[in-house]
Amino acid sequence: MDRARRPRSVLAALTAALLAVPALTALSSPAGAADADVAVNGGFESGLTGWTCTAGTTVDSPVHSGRSALQATPAGSDNAQCAQTVTVQPDAQYTLSGYVRGSYVYLGANGTGTTDVSTWTQSAPDWQKLTTTFRTGPATTKVTVYTHGWYGTGAYQADDITLVGPGGSGTGQPPAAPTGLKTTSVTSSSVGLSWSAVTGATSYALYRDGTRVQSVIGTSATVSGLAASTAYGFQVSAVNAAGESAKSAAVTATTSAGTGGGGSSDLPAHALVGYLHASFANGAGYTRLADVPDSWDVIDLAFGEPTSVTSGDIRFNRCPVTECPGVESDADFKAAIKAKQAAGKKVLISIGGQNGQVQLTTTAARDAFVTSVSKIIDTWGLDGLDVDFEGHSLSLNANDTDFKNPTTPVVVNLISALKTLKAKYGAKFVLTMAPETFFVQNGYQFYGTGKWGGQDPRCGAYLPVIHALRDDLTLLHVQDYNSGPIMGLDNQYHSMGGADFHIAMTDMLLTGFPVAGDPNNVFPPLRPDQVAIGMPATTNAGNGYVSPAEVTKTLDCLTKKTNCGSYATHGTWPALRGLMTWSINWDRFANGEFQKTFDGYFG
């Protein structure tokens, strides 16, 4: 955690270069001629995937954006060319761009069917943008784009290469009706469903008692917001650019009489979650727990941190008086916890943060984690645990490709530890998670190192943890801040700064999504009562701050399907749990703007 400003900036730029990656072909928009970036891995975030290079590698410095760039060194008669062949539309206009460094760097396109083009710079001591345009011939469907240096002139770098123009075309007829519809889970308020994939379908429409209630990508969904002990009928249809199929055969499911899991039943219908700087001071100033306004329903004490990265031994050290003048005594802190709990609030220990890297590489570390976290909870009388693993805490081994059956020790051991804690403390144990977008929504495009290697092993690495704990999870509040652009279910990139980003990121959690573009490997949606939206309280707190008006637009769109922007959601979720922010301290610094926005909307 950057305690001088914000806790989470390690991955702020990791996904910025993803703007150069195209929409997944299996999930592409049915719009036939819409402009898109058709270059593959133009930011070199996935190594050299998609490129053929005579002499090249990826480096983490210098980069134009993201975490990687191409570096290639001409030698002898080799000009160190890297090239890829991409699919294009005939008789269409394209713009080729990229950022380069070094002496004599070329960017060009061959096989255009008209006039092949190139652009170059003789000297670029720092990143310089090169751009050229061309029109494809009447029969051209493939073009090769390339970059290279010049013989004997030293290494060059390239990054963020894009080829923007018309993408693919639509399909000619509606798909067949889906088959194999069945229930996969039933609770008091939701029914999980799955069905067989349909050739040519780009999405599916789900019907409850004859009324269309949800549109999903992939072959599973959860219908939420149902009444307990009630029978419902469900059908599904397949959709593509040409239209919608007939509905499938119906299945009937009756919800249970229970209260649901995850320790969420005693939270208010709409909750406000905030982190309290309890172990350190920064520019936001120290806030005594007793002074936290009553609007905050879940208070995450930041942070518990390990004695070493792989020890699993977590310690919670309160801020010393030398760093936090006015800090309360331990006795007053405990009394404030009890007072908050008596008022119906939940007080949790948050583990991790930017500085608190936790890697449970061994079963001994797993057991130490359970023991030490239990001691913190018992010592302070807390309600549960917030998992705020960031940076390099979670990553996937190269052969770990199935989020439903993980094998990587740091993931398997974390799942085991959290299940043990949940079992120890029972149904009222509050379990929340605060991953970054790179570890969750980015899994729509990339998962781990990928089938051919070269990707960041942290891509989507939280998905197996969330999935394994979904029945025990009280709240997931992804950090929709300090994030690079992320592809939404519309196969468009969304960037921080407005309501659309929060809408798109939250829609992915509530709709579910194919992991790494595999329609047969879908991350199922979470219940809306399990989801809160993470936002920074102020511009000081983190990148991605949005005004109260944009917060209201976000909530309107997701809970009422009104006031929406360019992103079309796949449902409406009035039971969305609420908002999370970093942090209570920064919001107090800003005169309670975030708290007042929440109170004004849900009050």
Side-chain angles (χ1 to χ4, degrees):
M1 175 184 64
D2 179 1
R3 290 176 170 174
R5 185 166 183 265
R6 57 186 182 271
R8 313 168 173 97
S9 60
V10 164
L11 299 180
L14 271 172
T15 54
L18 290 176
L19 284 169
V21 184
L24 299 162
T25 54
L27 305 165
S28 59
S29 167
D35 279 353
D37 178 11
V38 296
V40 175
N41 189 30
F44 300 96
E45 299 302 288
S46 300
L48 297 179
T49 299
W51 296 90
T52 300
C53 301
T54 60
T57 187
T58 54
V59 294
D60 58 13
S61 179
V63 298
H64 176 255
S65 69
R67 63 179 296 273
S68 299
L70 168 70
Q71 180 166 292
T73 306
S77 60
D78 180 11
N79 63 7
Q81 176 170 292
C82 279
Q84 68 171 264
T85 300
V86 297
T87 301
V88 294
Q89 292 293 314
D91 194 26
Q93 189 75 17
Y94 289 87
T95 298
L96 174 65
S97 299
Y99 289 85
V100 299
R101 293 176 81 254
S103 299
Y104 290 97
V105 192
Y106 289 73
L107 179 68
N110 291 330
T112 63
T114 54
T115 302
D116 291 347
V117 296
S118 67
T119 181
W120 64 288
T121 180
Q122 180 177 349
S123 177
D126 204 351
W127 291 105
Q128 177 178 327
K129 187 176 184 179
L130 298 179
T131 301
T132 185
T133 62
F134 62 88
R135 192 167 192 87
T136 53
T140 302
T141 58
K142 302 283 186 181
V143 167
T144 298
V145 297
Y146 64 84
T147 182
H148 65 69
W150 197 247
Y151 309 100
T153 57
Y156 73 89
Q157 293 86 34
D159 202 359
D160 297 337
I161 296 173
T162 61
L163 182 63
V164 177
S169 57
T171 181
Q173 59 184 8
T179 59
L181 179 64
K182 62 182 180 180
T183 59
T184 57
S185 63
V186 177
T187 73
S188 61
S189 61
S190 67
V191 173
L193 301 160
S194 69
W195 54 91
S196 301
V198 176
T199 301
T202 55
S203 64
Y204 299 89
L206 199 60
Y207 290 82
R208 183 189 69 208
D209 295 332
T211 300
R212 183 168 174 164
V213 293
Q214 212 168 318
S215 178
V216 300
I217 296 173
T219 56
S220 65
T222 298
V223 180
S224 304
L226 306 179
S229 304
T230 303
Y232 294 93
F234 300 96
Q235 293 172 283
V236 63
S237 65
V239 181
N240 65 14
E244 182 176 352
S245 74
K247 297 184 185 71
S248 69
V251 298
T252 300
T254 300
T255 53
S256 65
T259 59
S264 62
S265 58
D266 55 354
L267 284 177
H270 301 292
L272 181 61
V273 182
Y275 288 80
L276 183 69
H277 307 182
S279 61
F280 62 94
N282 65 7
Y286 185 78
T287 296
R288 294 164 63 97
L289 179 55
D291 295 333
V292 173
D294 288 341
S295 297
W296 300 94
D297 299 297
V298 180
I299 302 168
D300 293 322
L301 304 178
F303 287 103
E305 298 181 356
T307 55
S308 69
V309 172
T310 58
S311 70
D313 185 8
I314 308 299
R315 304 296 174 88
F316 173 54
N317 298 311
R318 298 190 56 238
C319 190
V321 67
T322 53
E323 185 179 346
C324 298
V327 63
E328 65 268 59
S329 67
D330 285 355
D332 287 345
F333 194 72
K334 288 183 178 180
I337 291 171
K338 290 184 180 300
K340 290 296 181 186
Q341 292 168 331
K345 314 304 179 185
K346 304 299 180 183
V347 185
L348 316 181
I349 180 64
S350 180
I351 306 296
Q354 180 177 299
N355 289 350
Q357 305 292 295
V358 182
Q359 296 176 2
L360 304 182
T361 55
T362 65
T363 55
R366 175 200 66 192
D367 296 343
F369 182 89
V370 171
T371 299
S372 59
V373 171
S374 297
K375 183 176 180 180
I376 294 170
I377 292 172
D378 295 342
T379 297
W380 298 100
L382 303 178
D383 296 290
L385 169 67
D386 172 67
V387 183
D388 188 5
F389 283 17
E390 302 182 18
H392 291 269
S393 292
L394 291 180
S395 62
L396 296 163
N397 290 347
N399 61 348
D400 193 348
T401 58
D402 182 2
F403 77 91
K404 296 177 182 177
N405 298 286
T407 58
T408 305
V410 294
V411 173
V412 173
N413 289 332
L414 176 60
I415 292 170
S416 176
L418 296 177
K419 284 184 173 292
T420 299
L421 286 166
K422 177 69 177 181
K424 176 179 180 178
Y425 290 102
K428 295 298 183 181
F429 183 76
V430 179
L431 176 64
T432 67
M433 299 181 189
E436 295 160 293
T437 57
F438 190 82
F439 292 93
V440 183
Q441 290 93 336
N442 194 46
Y444 175 47
Q445 281 189 285
F446 308 105
Y447 188 69
T449 58
K451 294 181 180 179
W452 299 279
Q455 295 173 185
D456 192 314
R458 294 171 292 176
C459 293
Y462 241 99
L463 293 177
V465 181
I466 298 168
H467 184 68
L469 274 301
R470 63 174 55 241
D471 291 338
D472 299 311
L473 183 63
T474 309
L475 283 177
L476 176 72
H477 31 67
V478 176
Q479 302 172 33
D480 285 0
Y481 45 91
N482 295 336
S483 170
I486 300 291
M487 181 180 283
L489 296 181
D490 57 353
N491 289 331
Q492 302 297 313
Y493 284 94
H494 297 270
S495 299
M496 299 182 302
D500 267 11
F501 183 71
H502 297 292
I503 294 166
M505 295 303 99
T506 308
D507 181 63
M508 295 178 80
L509 303 176
L510 297 172
T511 302
F513 54 87
V515 175
D518 183 353
N520 297 311
N521 193 30
V522 175
F523 178 78
L526 293 166
R527 304 190 316 266
D529 65 274
Q530 290 178 296
V531 176
I533 308 170
M535 302 177 173
T538 72
T539 55
N540 305 93
N543 295 320
Y545 166 81
V546 295
S547 68
E550 293 298 299
V551 177
T552 297
K553 286 173 62 177
T554 300
L555 295 172
D556 279 347
C557 184
L558 291 168
T559 65
K560 304 174 184 175
K561 214 168 182 100
T562 62
N563 209 13
C564 296
S566 61
Y567 184 88
T569 64
H570 294 79
T572 307
W573 301 278
L576 178 74
R577 183 63 73 177
L579 300 177
M580 174 275 278
T581 195
W582 178 265
S583 62
I584 294 171
N585 303 64
W586 279 118
D587 189 50
R588 187 184 187 196
F589 182 85
N591 297 315
E593 177 188 87
F594 194 85
Q595 169 203 327
K596 291 172 184 175
T597 300
F598 176 88
D599 288 345
Y601 195 89
F602 290 116

